[in-house]
Amino acid sequence: MGVINRLSLCLVLWLLIALVPTVQAEEQAFVRTTSSPIAIKNLDFLIRRAELQLRASPHNQEAVATYLEMLLLRVSFLNTFKDFQRALRVTNELISARPNDPGVLLLSAKVMQALHRFSPALIQLDKAAELTSELSSSEQARFRRQI
């Protein structure tokens, strides 16, 4: 192994050791993790990236699902009502564009559930389940796994 390869390997190992959270002995309760401000900044970045992906393809269900997941994650930590409003706006726009898409109804039901609007969420799940009866058995199974 050449000197450069050894140095590269040492550098990679050093970085891994430095970046892996460390836990002190069991009698001590210290765990080194990412600081809260950094974690929130990382989440903000993921949301901005998801917004850009959503703008690039606004009717892409996977992009919408990722964006909604990131918004709801931030809501769970920071209880940000503007994120709830964003999630509702995105799902309402998507439902307007594709009202009979079971996947869209499922995304909307997840947002409703996060908002503790259980009755509308159940109505959307029922409608989605009804619409899946028209799908093939494999597509029905895939949908049921998402629930």
Side-chain angles (χ1 to χ4, degrees):
M1 194 188 285
V3 173
I4 293 178
N5 286 340
R6 285 184 192 155
L7 288 175
S8 298
L9 181 61
C10 288
L11 179 62
V12 168
L13 289 174
W14 180 81
L15 285 172
L16 286 173
I17 290 169
L19 294 176
V20 172
T22 57
V23 180
Q24 292 183 350
E26 280 189 23
E27 58 270 8
Q28 297 177 2
F30 175 73
V31 176
R32 194 177 97 201
T33 63
T34 303
S35 71
S36 298
I38 291 173
I40 290 170
K41 284 181 182 181
N42 289 341
L43 182 57
D44 290 341
F45 168 78
L46 292 173
I47 290 171
R48 282 193 305 274
R49 186 176 72 180
E51 285 173 345
L52 291 174
Q53 291 173 340
L54 189 61
R55 284 188 197 134
S57 53
H59 298 294
N60 179 324
Q61 195 167 326
E62 188 175 321
V64 173
T66 300
Y67 179 62
L68 292 174
E69 183 180 336
M70 293 296 111
L71 286 178
L72 295 177
L73 184 61
R74 183 163 62 186
V75 165
S76 70
F77 290 114
L78 302 178
N79 204 21
T80 51
F81 290 105
K82 68 179 181 177
D83 290 332
F84 274 137
Q85 293 169 342
R86 286 179 180 174
L88 281 173
R89 182 180 43 81
V90 168
T91 55
N92 288 337
E93 289 172 2
L94 202 55
I95 285 177
S96 294
R98 298 189 336 229
N100 294 320
D101 184 331
V104 168
L105 292 169
L106 179 61
L107 286 175
S108 181
K110 287 179 180 180
V111 171
M112 292 296 163
Q113 181 269 329
L115 288 167
H116 293 234
R117 296 181 182 174
F118 301 114
S119 293
L122 287 173
I123 291 168
Q124 289 177 338
L125 284 175
D126 288 342
K127 184 177 179 185
E130 187 178 304
L131 290 169
T132 59
S133 66
E134 301 167 7
L135 301 174
S136 69
S137 60
S138 64
E139 289 175 323
Q140 287 179 14
R142 185 174 56 83
F143 177 78
R144 297 212 188 284
R145 283 191 300 271
Q146 290 178 344
I147 294 176

